[in-house]
Amino acid sequence: MNILFLTLLDFDSLDEHNIYTDLLRELKKDKNDIYVISPCERRSYKKERLIKDKNTTILKLKIGNIQKTNLLEKGISTITLEKIFIAGVKRFFSKVKFDLVLYSTPPITFQKTVEYIKKRDNSTTYLMLKDIFPQNAVDLGMLSKTGVKGILYKYFREKEKKLYRASDYIGCMSEANRKYILQHNKEINTEKVIICPNSIEAKDYSLDNISKQKMRIKYQLPLDKMIFVYGGNLGKPQDIPFIIKCLKTQIHNTNSFFLIVGDGTEYSTLESFFKKENPSNMKLLKRLAKEDYDRMIAACDVGMIFLDHRFTIPNFPSRLLSYMQAKLPVLAVTDINSDIGQVIVNGKFGWWCESNDEEKFSNIIQIINQYNDFKVMQDNEWKFLLENYVTQTVAENILKEVGE
């Protein structure tokens, strides 16, 4: 079977590790030929090219800047994606008949590309829903349903609906995701909206005590304190001003250390806080190489997840999987619509509080500081990962659903 994967993620090999390459490697094991369109943004100055390797072909298309840029440039680049992707398919894959097209949101503007390939090849189309746009932009005040911004909202909302119509299957990250899509899109056939969670190879990245100490020394982290770590994007969805409020409640906490690792549009706001306050029990690091990041995360004690409390859509951040691989109990600080906190608490490997009250956050930190049975949580977490978020299971389900 010829499988085409459409993505905005910039990668040159399936040997890289993320939720998509892990899944594609698993799909490839069933003797499927994997084709990928993985673009590179204009700022990278990379040339368009084909990368071929054993049943895998990756097309690197040049697109405008979308990540870590202003809203106007992001919008223009997003709108032009369809034309670029369709031209790429015609130019490089004119003689390939695709049996299955996989794609994820963001962006929703894969719609015409999906429709073109589906019509040309009679392909089965499978959307892996990772983001619900444009509603997420409305939640954060970046778009509105009225006024000038309302025109953009209506355009993108129509694109969203068309993408759902073009999709034979819509794989949602969680049950809350699934319920939201069906509730707000009554025209969708309920049978095609299914659960397709974020997944990853089950690699145990946890460290023994000696290795933990070595990593802490390498990154100048304290050896005698409980370390809470946040790793990932530092943008609007994380509500950086609220994270700063939470950190301010912990400046005098002598039992804990707080490590923030990442990059994004709001990094400078967090950097300004660190420069002004110069907290002795906190550290801010730019994004690290994945291998270094995974080992450094494993040297910590508790992983943190933050989501803006204004979200009405049920996000389910994939960074949870990195914490699970490192066997870090998780503190989720999110809106009430995401069910990631419920999953963590019910799975008995972490804590949850709503992301609009820094005092509640502070109280939970105190509770965690007094907790002394992390081994049970770690065992629960690893078991939950194996039972729910392993790529082999997700790949098998996808192939079963599409009738392979």
Side-chain angles (χ1 to χ4, degrees):
M1 182 163 66
N2 292 329
I3 300 175
L4 173 64
F5 176 56
L6 308 175
T7 181
L8 288 186
L9 192 64
D10 185 357
F11 59 87
D12 295 341
S13 170
L14 295 194
D15 292 333
E16 297 181 30
H17 288 281
N18 58 63
I19 60 174
Y20 300 118
T21 53
D22 283 6
L23 178 61
L24 292 173
R25 281 197 308 277
E26 197 63 46
L27 290 170
K28 186 178 176 180
K29 288 179 182 178
D30 288 319
K31 297 181 180 179
N32 297 306
D33 291 318
I34 304 297
Y35 296 81
V36 180
I37 300 182
S38 166
C40 47
E41 296 185 3
R42 183 172 55 249
R43 65 164 65 92
S44 72
Y45 298 106
K46 294 179 181 178
K47 295 181 179 180
E48 288 190 349
R49 63 200 187 280
L50 278 177
I51 303 172
K52 296 185 178 182
D53 178 39
K54 292 182 182 179
N55 293 31
T56 302
T57 303
I58 300 176
L59 170 58
K60 306 298 295 186
L61 287 177
K62 181 68 72 67
I63 63 171
N65 297 326
I66 290 180
Q67 306 296 329
K68 301 179 180 64
T69 188
N70 63 71
L71 188 60
L72 178 61
E73 184 177 26
K74 181 185 179 79
I76 294 173
S77 297
T78 301
I79 290 172
T80 59
L81 280 176
E82 289 177 318
K83 183 179 179 181
I84 296 172
F85 270 58
I86 291 174
V89 171
K90 289 180 177 179
R91 181 181 172 192
F92 293 96
F93 298 142
S94 61
K95 296 181 180 180
V96 182
K97 182 180 184 296
F98 296 113
D99 303 289
L100 172 63
V101 184
L102 291 172
Y103 44 98
S104 63
T105 54
I108 57 169
T109 48
F110 281 150
Q111 169 239 326
K112 286 185 178 179
T113 309
V114 171
E115 290 177 340
Y116 169 76
I117 300 169
K118 184 176 184 177
K119 182 178 180 180
R120 190 192 75 171
D121 298 344
N122 194 29
S123 312
T124 300
T125 54
Y126 195 117
L127 167 61
M128 295 183 289
L129 191 72
K130 307 299 183 185
D131 186 41
I132 301 175
F133 179 85
Q135 184 57 46
N136 61 350
V138 173
D139 290 344
L140 299 181
M142 299 165 71
L143 290 179
S144 67
K145 296 184 179 180
T146 59
V148 176
K149 290 183 178 180
I151 297 173
L152 275 176
Y153 167 79
K154 290 175 183 176
Y155 169 79
F156 285 121
R157 176 60 171 147
E158 185 58 31
K159 296 291 286 185
E160 179 191 15
K161 285 180 172 288
K162 287 181 178 178
L163 183 64
Y164 295 159
R165 285 199 294 270
S167 303
D168 294 316
Y169 297 92
I170 301 175
C172 300
M173 294 182 290
S174 69
E175 183 58 29
N177 247 238
R178 180 180 175 277
K179 288 180 179 178
Y180 181 94
I181 289 299
L182 291 175
Q183 181 181 352
H184 292 84
N185 302 274
K186 302 289 187 182
E187 71 280 5
I188 295 180
N189 182 344
T190 58
E191 292 183 359
K192 78 175 188 178
V193 185
I194 53 185
I195 302 296
C196 180
N198 295 325
S199 62
I200 204 166
E201 283 187 351
K203 291 189 174 182
D204 185 349
Y205 286 141
S206 62
L207 300 176
D208 57 40
N209 289 333
I210 294 177
S211 298
K212 273 190 175 184
Q213 287 185 344
K214 288 181 179 179
M215 289 301 295
R216 289 192 179 195
I217 291 171
K218 177 179 178 179
Y219 288 100
Q220 298 180 324
L221 302 173
L223 302 178
D224 59 345
K225 291 185 179 182
M226 184 176 295
I227 299 182
F228 294 80
V229 61
Y230 171 84
N233 185 50
L234 296 171
K236 296 289 185 184
Q238 286 70 47
D239 191 1
I240 303 304
F242 176 74
I243 293 179
I244 290 174
K245 287 182 180 180
C246 290
L247 293 176
K248 283 182 177 180
T249 69
Q250 301 302 309
I251 285 180
H252 302 295
N253 183 344
T254 58
N255 298 315
S256 304
F257 190 89
F258 295 84
L259 175 63
I260 310 293
V261 187
D263 198 5
T265 57
E266 305 303 304
Y267 178 87
S268 60
T269 302
L270 205 52
E271 187 178 39
S272 296
F273 162 74
F274 273 81
K275 287 181 178 179
K276 180 181 178 181
E277 299 294 339
N278 193 27
S280 61
N281 66 334
M282 300 177 190
K283 189 167 189 172
L284 175 65
L285 292 175
K286 276 274 193 180
R287 188 182 299 274
L288 300 172
K290 190 172 190 314
E291 184 176 345
D292 292 339
Y293 170 80
D294 288 336
R295 288 183 60 79
M296 190 211 58
I297 286 291
C300 301
D301 298 296
V302 177
M304 297 186 293
I305 291 172
F306 288 94
L307 287 173
D308 195 300
H309 78 280
R310 293 174 294 174
F311 275 125
T312 62
I313 62 167
N315 292 293
F316 205 98
S318 61
R319 69 180 55 88
L320 171 66
L321 301 178
S322 297
Y323 297 151
M324 297 182 85
Q325 282 185 312
K327 296 184 179 179
L328 293 191
V330 183
L331 168 56
V333 188
T334 75
D335 58 276
I336 60 174
N337 294 295
S338 171
D339 55 349
I340 193 168
Q342 179 182 336
V343 166
I344 290 168
V345 172
N346 290 348
K348 298 180 180 180
F349 58 93
W351 305 263
W352 174 83
C353 71
E354 192 173 348
S355 55
N356 62 355
D357 189 340
E358 60 270 24
E359 293 305 320
K360 288 182 180 179
F361 170 86
S362 182
N363 291 338
I364 288 186
I365 294 296
Q366 291 182 33
I367 292 172
I368 297 174
N369 278 141
Q370 297 167 5
Y371 195 80
N372 58 9
D373 200 4
F374 274 33
K375 181 62 169 61
V376 172
M377 277 198 171
Q378 290 171 330
D379 291 342
N380 292 340
E381 185 173 32
W382 187 249
K383 180 182 178 183
F384 200 93
L385 173 64
L386 295 180
E387 291 178 349
N388 296 277
Y389 302 135
V390 176
T391 50
Q392 181 179 353
T393 303
V394 173
E396 288 174 355
N397 288 341
I398 288 174
L399 294 176
K400 181 179 179 181
E401 284 151 2
V402 303
E404 167 65 359

